[in-house]
Amino acid sequence: MQLLEAENVDLLSLLEEVEEKYGDLTETYDLITADYQDLEETYSKLEEENKKLTDDFEDIMVELEQAEEQVASSTTESSNSSTSTSSSSSDSSTNSASNSGNSTTSESSTEVSASSDNDNNDTEDAACDIKGSESGIYHVPGSTYYDRTTNVVQWFCSTEEAENAGYRAPRN
């Protein structure tokens, strides 16, 4: 009987240890469960914020595309108006040459001179290497995006000319 009593005491102390460990594990489990619930709430909030930011980003991209289209159409309109102005002035000089009768020879030499001036302008245009992009930004040679800019709408000879045409320098 003593042997059974000794075994009973050992089993009771073992039971106490197991119950203590069970209590510790239960506390740990409760803490982990609470942390998990907090993380789930945080995750849900972050998902909502991400969706809102994504929607905002998409709205901004649409606005940016519309602004780029406006700049492109404004640039095209200003290019077209300057082209029509120069073509109407050349039309008037041609008309005056044909109406003047005897002065046709001197008028023709003036036209030849004007066309050689245009050749000089082409040479000057070759030096006009500032790119005006569709997005309304100008890029000078050697700048970060100069070589990457392929959507050139207009070429400029100086930054002042580009800015006067409504273009801006890159932000970085």
Side-chain angles (χ1 to χ4, degrees):
M1 182 125 279
Q2 259 182 336
L3 189 60
L4 283 176
E5 285 180 10
E7 266 186 48
N8 192 22
V9 168
D10 286 344
L11 287 175
L12 285 175
S13 73
L14 187 60
L15 179 63
E16 286 178 13
E17 286 178 30
V18 168
E19 286 177 344
E20 190 176 311
K21 286 183 181 181
Y22 177 77
D24 291 344
L25 288 174
T26 303
E27 281 182 34
T28 304
Y29 174 79
D30 290 344
L31 290 173
I32 290 172
T33 302
D35 287 345
Y36 177 77
Q37 289 172 345
D38 289 344
L39 288 173
E40 277 187 324
E41 288 175 23
T42 303
Y43 180 78
S44 294
K45 288 177 185 176
L46 289 173
E47 274 187 321
E48 289 174 19
E49 186 177 342
N50 185 35
K51 182 176 179 353
K52 182 181 181 299
L53 290 172
T54 301
D55 291 345
D56 290 348
F57 177 77
E58 289 172 357
D59 291 345
I60 289 170
M61 290 306 294
V62 167
E63 290 175 15
L64 177 63
E65 288 174 6
Q66 291 170 348
E68 286 175 345
E69 289 172 6
Q70 287 177 347
V71 168
S73 68
S74 296
T75 305
T76 304
E77 288 173 8
S78 72
S79 294
N80 289 342
S81 69
S82 66
T83 304
S84 67
T85 304
S86 65
S87 70
S88 67
S89 64
S90 69
D91 287 345
S92 65
S93 66
T94 305
N95 287 340
S96 66
S98 62
N99 289 337
S100 63
N102 289 338
S103 64
T104 304
T105 308
S106 65
E107 295 288 338
S108 297
S109 65
T110 305
E111 287 177 21
V112 169
S113 161
S115 72
S116 67
D117 286 347
N118 286 342
D119 292 340
N120 290 341
N121 286 342
D122 290 343
T123 306
E124 290 173 18
D125 287 346
C128 298
D129 52 0
I130 298 173
K131 295 178 178 181
S133 69
E134 288 179 350
S135 60
I137 299 171
Y138 66 83
H139 301 279
V140 297
S143 65
T144 305
Y145 296 102
Y146 185 81
D147 292 332
R148 293 186 218 169
T149 303
T150 58
N151 56 347
V152 179
V153 175
Q154 194 168 354
W155 292 89
F156 300 103
C157 299
S158 69
T159 56
E160 292 80 19
E161 183 182 347
E163 289 171 0
N164 289 340
Y167 287 79
R168 69 167 176 81
R171 288 198 168 91
N172 46 346

